[in-house]
């Protein structure tokens, strides 16, 4: 199968959605500009025109409200935020209207709105261009949250999101944009609320959210080097969350480490641990742990930024401690083939 | 055929009486939902909605009984909703503050001030997108015009030349605080115009408003982009609840008296001959009694409604 | 000691703070109106004047921003929201500025801003006037969250919040406003991040957030009737959360039930369970569970609203199941003396 | 004593050269932080800040190098911050987008568009509250004026008659999108005026702006409430980064040429005699070289800085 980037997968999914459904449109700051949101909207304006592909004023609150209004009228808008941080301007509409309209209007209306929001990382983007705030919407019933990691899932999740008759927050991590993988040309959808086992293992389960699924996958390779077998799960959907798949794995390995792509206090990792904690366990005591961004705003200085994020090696170290029961200061030697990708913009 | 004044009187009387009944019933605790009455302000919804067609769409706030009814919302379903019954317009999930009747194109009444302005703007975009003939009308208060979403939405509506009429019901108060304590320049129409939405201020005369609204809506239907009408009016009752509030001291009976003398329902009554008026009133009274009866006798929603409608189920 | 209501405790704390520190001021929609925010700001305008006590336009975003600006200039503003739901309009400023300013400006500035936000309940207030959204700010480092339950704690927590040199979300539940208890006249502060054991017990630990601490307390009385001894903890501070006190209790009882005053997905209860799950447990397998609002918007119809909230009896039932290991449909007979207070406004 | 033009030239030249050096160094990857350069727009910050006193306070956006330097922010600490060093103005926690120098009263530069407008307004309230003589100046772009917070803040500033000058640096673009594609009426000054803040639009002439700003600031200092100046200007470089961007096609070299011919730094240069100019330039070059040297040779922040300053520690 041909390999394409995450960017191209998102672009292609959008193109096919717009092609196949005249109610689909895409809008948001700069979706129609020459840089076309990292290329994810490239060519759409020329193909579908300014009615279906339009940039907006800097007015996130009203533009979110407008998306909800359009969706109530039966359109299927995709609203793009080049930074998830800016979603904080949209919370009133998403929480108080979008997530509630179907219920509080007794089922008389619905809001098939997709919100694409990107998490920044690296190159000193700093405190306000780096946040993974999706857990704040996991907290709210009435809205779905999906965070695809691979180009394959990026395409299938976007198609599922736009066809979903409820609001969906579609989370992208910008480092993922450059990854490449096999992606079918035809349209397909990910099943709602289904996690993916990226790698099977027996000693410890590692669940990684969004980009952290890749880091977890790399961590499993470091662990393999020292004879530890890690099962890696990408939940893909954070709301609804696939408790079953995660629980089955944790029951098998007896250990679960959840890696957030944001702060883990009241985060996705907290939710995963809470679900595990509530489950029925026979006699074997499961070990449960989580990692997330350091509990502070993201510092731009490269030396501090490095310390801020979990990465394959710190994840491996944590998992090893869980398996061996010994918390030492072991860290694997960095393997060149498992290095994090570099990011130097565009911003 | 009945003339415009007659039709408007019937509607205004209906709204007035429905709200009076709500106020009368409130102390019985049968209506367990905060109610924001429009008594005194009905002229605005009535005069505007007189120009609307079924395929035009209305958005409003928590103070929406008048707009809901004037646009053709079902009175029985509204009463049942206030009673929290399963036959309510939203099956007991809306209460007074989120009335909805999609068959009548009454959508999106919201209790977070200002939110509907943006939703209505998006809805108007959808109409333009689909080249539908219907326009969108969005009612909100003077207080709502202070929220950022008002400004952002005006700009977008003007930029895209959307088929929308913004109706600011300026009753001079947000809860107990006068406009002059909240707005540096008390000229909402002027603000909208500076952003790019042609606007007009209209006083409390219902027939004048009816005329201005007619001309304005005609321009919008002709594809001439959005408009705003700032409509001065006065709320007689307390901000929320069935009572009066002059004892609070933020406004006086004398202030109210000036407006009461020019009461919108009475303005219209004087334009209709006594015979017709009495017949119209009788029809309303009958409808109203039946609606209250319907609300009273309807069943509660079943327990499993609690978790229904959280997510819309996908078709197909 | 004299008994006063929660309302009066908040009012008195504000009065004393303003009296003792000229930098303290209070503002927000309707703080200066005749109803004076349920009475919590009564008399302050007359005493301190419009410079220090002022209502605002309906402009939550800019008014939050202004509070941050005032705080950066060294004032200690208290910003009041009569509904926590409206806080969604303030998220951009709170998350992107208020919580980060001290860090991202390298310690050169600080934001001693207190945000009072009230959670509504009952009387068909419905979807948009009933939310407990505090967990969304627990997710964000740089801001404190406190949710006092009793009049005593209301006073001590407000004084601590205003003197705290960081932003603090001060959570009130409106049913609590009418409760009455002994409160010292002098000024005093609650210690930061310290939970309170409301009632000792041996069989199960119940942690209740805000108003749910009262329901948990009542639940313990129902449980006592059937011979189960519950320990009840009010965490008071949600950020920082007093893991130690909760863990010590859970270690003792072997069972922990956390009751949220909001949705529990990614909520405070999820965080509490996650903390417990991460802790070291010797051999005894702890039982962990949570309750929260039903996962939907709040319906106003009284029959549905009743089902929406956890209450003393449903909490007792859940706790009994955890202790006996039998999940039946037992519910205690309602005791008149343990009935929930009634609420009929004002709104 | 040096005259105003000389002082402004020195400052403008300093800002221009500092940013040129940033652009020159950028490809070495020593500056690992997105940079938004003001090259071409320096006249605004220079002309406004020429009237400011140490106790006046400046807020700005991510495009803040010019305002930071013009208000007296430390150049060495700024360079070190861009390099991510522990000697940076925020110890490596700000990067280019959150510059701060509280000693010089440069506060609150933010990368979320529009946020500072509200923070500056609150700061001005604190000045009024404490009856301090200093005023607050808030710089932001044309794009920021579309955010709700702009509207809400103007209203509050006007309502309370706060001592604040809003400076909109209108460079006609938000990233690559022209103002006319974003604003229904391209008249930011007019919008502010309608809300209640007396406003004026000023072109690219630095000395004219200096004069207008002087008179405007005098009114604010006299207690006459807030003002807004919409200052037209032009960014030569790409929105973010050190390069040019004419190849993107959203604007042309020809557009830029019109502005370059009227370059603000050159405008000022022509007002200063050659001798003095050369002396001023030499001083700047020396300062700049030293600042870069300082940034290069400074140590990284220690690892434990990661978790310092998350919460301010309580005193006493
Ligand atoms: C965003 C928001 N802020 C505050 C409130 C509390 N509140 C409810 S009604 C109201 C006044 C609104 O005044 P206006 O828009 O003039 O409408 P009116 O009640 O006069 O019809 C306020 C402040 C709210 N519901 N939503
Ligand atoms: C709230 C928000 N929305 C979007 C962005 C992305 N963004 C960064 S700069 C910018 C353009 C701002 O334009 P303007 O205010 O004119 O300032 P300029 O860059 O021209 O100085 C945008 C949209 C942002 N940083 N913050
Ligand atoms: Mg009003
Ligand atoms: Mg610009």
């Amino acid at each position: 199968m041909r390999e394409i980037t995450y960017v191209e997968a998102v672009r292609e999914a959008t193109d096919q959605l717009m092609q196949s459904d005249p109610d689909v449109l895409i809008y948001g700051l700069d979706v129609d500009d020459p840089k076309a949101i990292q290329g994810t909207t490239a060519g759409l304006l020329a193909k579908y025109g300014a009615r279906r592909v339009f940039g907006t004023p800097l007015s996130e609150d009203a533009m979110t409200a407008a998306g909800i209004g359009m969706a109530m009228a039966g359109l299927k808008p995709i609203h793009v935020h080049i930074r998830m941080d800016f979603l904080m301007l949209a919370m009133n509409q998403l929480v108080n209207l979008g997530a509630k309209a179907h219920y509080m209007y007794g089922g008389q209306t619905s809001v098939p709105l997709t919100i694409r929001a990107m998490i920044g990382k690296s190159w000193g983007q700093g405190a306000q261009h780096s946040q993974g705030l999706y857990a704040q919407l996991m907290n709210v019933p009435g809205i779905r949250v999906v965070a695809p990691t691979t180009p394959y899932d990026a395409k299938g999740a976007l198609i599922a999101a736009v066809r979903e008759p409820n609001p969906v927050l579609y989370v992208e991590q910008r480092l993922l944009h450059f990854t490449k993988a096999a992606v079918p040309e035809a349209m397909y959808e990910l099943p709602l609320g289904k996690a993916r086992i990226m790698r099977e293992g027996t000693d410890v389960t590692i669940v990684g959210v969004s980009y952290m699924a890749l880091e977890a996958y790399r961590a499993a390779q470091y662990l393999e080097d020292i004879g530890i077998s890690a099962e890696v799960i990408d939940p893909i959907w954070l709301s609804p969350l696939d408790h079953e798949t995660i629980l089955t794995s944790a029951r098998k390995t007896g250990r679960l480490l959840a890696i957030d792509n944001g702060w883990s206090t009241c985060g996705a990792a907290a939710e995963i641990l809470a679900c595990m904690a509530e489950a029925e366990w026979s006699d074997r005591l499961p070990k449960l742990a989580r990692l997330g961004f350091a509990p502070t705003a993201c510092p731009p200085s490269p030396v501090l930024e490095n310390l801020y994020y979990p990465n394959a090696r710190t994840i491996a170290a944590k998992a090893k401690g869980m398996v061996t029961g010994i918390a030492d200061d072991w860290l694997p030697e960095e393997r060149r083939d498992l290095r994090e990708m570099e990011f130097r913009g565009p911003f | 055929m009945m003339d415009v004044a007659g039709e408007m009187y019937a509607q205004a009387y209906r709204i007035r009486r429905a709200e009076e009944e709500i106020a009368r019933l409130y102390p019985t605790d049968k209506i367990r939902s905060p109610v924001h009455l429009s008594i005194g302000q009905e002229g605005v919804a009535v005069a505007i909605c007189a120009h609307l067609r079924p395929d035009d769409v209305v958005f409003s706030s928590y103070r929406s009984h008048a707009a809901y009814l004037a646009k053709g919302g079902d009175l029985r379903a509204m009463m049942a909703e206030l009673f929290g019954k399963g036959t309510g317009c939203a099956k007991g999930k809306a209460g007074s503050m989120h009335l909805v009747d999609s068959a009548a194109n009454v959508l999106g009444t919201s209790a977070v001030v200002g939110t509907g302005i943006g939703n209505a703007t998006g809805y108007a975009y959808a109409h333009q997108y689909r080249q539908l003939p219907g326009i969108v009308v969005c009612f909100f208060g003077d207080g709502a015009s202070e929220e950022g979403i008002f400004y952002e939405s005006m700009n977008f509506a003007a930029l895209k030349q959307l088929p929308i009429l913004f109706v600011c019901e300026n009753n001079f108060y947000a809860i107990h605080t006068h406009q002059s304590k909240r707005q540096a320049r008390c000229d909402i129409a002027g603000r909208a115009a500076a952003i790019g939405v042609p606007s007009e201020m209209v006083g409390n005369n219902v027939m004048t408003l009816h005329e201005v609204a007619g001309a304005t809506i005609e321009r919008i239907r002709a594809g001439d982009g959005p408009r705003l009408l700032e409509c001065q009016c006065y709320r007689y009752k307390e901000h929320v609840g069935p009572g009066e509030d002059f004892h609070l001291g933020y406004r006086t009976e004398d202030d109210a008296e000036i407006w009461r003398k020019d009461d919108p329902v009475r303005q219209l009554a004087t334009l209709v001959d006594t015979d017709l008026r009495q017949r119209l009133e009788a029809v309303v009274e009958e409808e109203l009694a039946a609606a209250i009866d319907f609300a009273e006798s309807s069943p509660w929603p079943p327990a499993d409604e609690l978790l229904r409608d959280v997510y819309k189920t996908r078709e197909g």
Side-chain angles (χ1 to χ4, degrees), chain A residues 29-30 58-60 81-83 85-86 89 128-129:
Chain A
L29 271 165
D30 307 315
L58 282 88
S59 302
E60 284 84 354
H81 295 273
I82 198 143
R83 303 285 171 179
D85 314 69
F86 310 153
L89 283 160
Q128 298 175 332
H129 279 54

Side-chain angles (χ1 to χ4, degrees), chain A residues 29-30 32-35 45 55-61 85-86 89 123-129 294-305 307-308 342-344 347:
Chain A
L29 271 165
D30 307 315
D32 59 352
D33 89 352
K35 294 210 173 162
L45 174 62
T56 71
L58 282 88
S59 302
E60 284 84 354
D61 182 12
D85 314 69
F86 310 153
L89 283 160
W123 203 264
Q125 294 176 78
Q128 298 175 332
H129 279 54
T296 176
C298 180
S301 174
V303 294
L304 300 180
E305 197 180 62
L307 298 169
Y308 179 74
E342 289 213 59
F343 181 78
R344 303 161 43 90
F347 298 102

Side-chain angles (χ1 to χ4, degrees), chain A residues 11-303:
Chain A
R11 202 206 61 74
E12 181 174 277
T14 311
D15 189 2
Q16 291 175 337
L17 283 159
M18 293 183 75
Q19 181 85 52
S20 60
D21 186 344
D23 288 335
V24 176
L25 64 107
I26 186 161
Y27 76 104
L29 271 165
D30 307 315
V31 300
D32 59 352
D33 89 352
K35 294 210 173 162
I37 313 291
Q38 318 283 102
T40 57
T41 61
L44 300 175
L45 174 62
K47 188 159 175 192
Y48 299 105
R51 193 180 51 116
R52 297 182 70 190
V53 181
F54 61 94
T56 71
L58 282 88
S59 302
E60 284 84 354
D61 182 12
M63 291 302 95
T64 306
I68 291 169
M70 292 179 221
M72 288 172 72
L75 299 183
K76 297 187 189 117
I78 306 173
H79 186 190
V80 184
H81 295 273
I82 198 143
R83 303 285 171 179
M84 182 172 280
D85 314 69
F86 310 153
L87 211 61
M88 294 296 97
L89 283 160
M91 289 301 274
N92 183 45
Q93 284 290 331
L94 293 177
V95 173
N96 285 327
L97 270 295
K100 293 175 173 49
H102 186 59
Y103 190 86
M104 82 182 172
Y105 300 133
Q108 287 197 40
T109 189
S110 64
V111 182
L113 168 67
T114 301
I115 312 278
R116 286 178 50 198
M118 287 159 227
I119 304 175
K121 190 181 175 195
S122 301
W123 203 264
Q125 294 176 78
Q128 298 175 332
H129 279 54
S130 58
Q131 294 169 93
L133 300 163
Y134 45 83
Q136 297 184 9
L137 288 168
M138 292 172 68
N139 180 237
V140 180
I143 181 164
R144 315 276 196 198
V145 181
V146 67
T149 305
T150 64
Y152 178 90
D153 288 345
K155 178 170 177 180
L158 187 57
I159 294 171
V162 172
R163 289 182 179 165
E164 167 70 23
N166 299 291
V168 181
L169 174 68
Y170 179 94
V171 179
E172 298 166 48
Q173 212 275 12
R174 291 179 65 163
L175 289 190
L176 295 173
H177 276 154
F178 309 108
T179 58
K180 223 172 167 171
V183 175
E185 280 177 53
M187 289 181 89
Y188 59 94
E189 285 182 47
L190 294 194
L192 182 72
K194 201 73 203 84
R196 182 185 303 291
I197 298 176
M198 294 174 78
R199 183 188 202 282
E200 302 208 351
T202 52
D203 298 328
V204 57
T205 301
I206 311 182
V207 182
V209 173
S210 180
Y211 177 71
M212 288 298 159
L214 281 199
E215 293 285 12
Y217 192 82
R218 290 186 197 116
Q221 292 170 273
Y222 283 117
L223 289 164
E224 192 174 75
D225 290 347
I226 57 165
I228 292 173
S229 162
E231 180 145 309
V232 178
I233 298 179
D234 179 351
I236 306 177
W237 295 88
L238 298 174
S239 187
L241 184 67
D242 187 351
H243 306 177
E244 270 317 301
T245 299
I246 298 171
L247 183 58
T248 305
S249 175
R251 285 219 172 94
K252 179 176 75 174
T253 63
R255 298 176 191 94
L256 181 132
L257 173 61
I259 320 292
D260 231 316
N261 205 334
W263 297 300
S264 68
T265 301
C266 291
E271 179 58 27
I272 292 168
L273 260 58
C275 287
M276 295 304 106
E278 285 185 303
E280 282 299 321
W281 294 89
S282 48
D283 49 281
R284 195 148 75 102
L285 198 68
K287 281 222 172 102
L288 299 166
R290 56 181 160 162
L291 290 174
F293 296 178
T296 176
C298 180
S301 174
V303 294

Side-chain angles (χ1 to χ4, degrees), chain B residues 41 62-63 111-113 141-144 147 171 173-175 235 239:
Chain B
Q41 316 186 175
Y62 49 90
R63 194 180 305 287
V112 180
V113 175
D142 47 301
E147 293 281 0
N171 63 9
Y173 290 93
I175 309 189
R235 149 172 72 75
H239 167 72

Side-chain angles (χ1 to χ4, degrees), chain B residues 161-236:
Chain B
Q161 289 293 293
L162 300 181
I164 184 165
L165 175 62
F166 297 104
V167 181
C168 180
E169 300 186 71
N170 185 358
N171 63 9
F172 305 100
Y173 290 93
I175 309 189
H176 313 121
T177 305
H178 194 268
Q179 185 184 10
S180 59
K181 285 185 69 181
R182 303 177 279 112
Q183 296 179 18
R185 289 191 62 204
C186 290
D187 178 7
I188 296 167
R191 287 181 177 193
I195 304 167
V197 176
S199 300
E200 204 166 324
M201 210 263 275
V202 193
N204 194 35
N205 187 288
V206 185
M207 291 313 290
T208 307
L209 175 58
H210 180 263
E211 200 175 312
V212 171
T216 304
I217 287 172
E218 209 169 287
R219 295 306 322 144
I220 299 170
R221 291 202 199 281
D224 210 25
R227 293 289 188 280
L228 179 139
L229 293 177
E230 178 182 350
C231 305
Q232 296 191 331
C233 55
Y234 200 79
R235 149 172 72 75
Y236 297 171

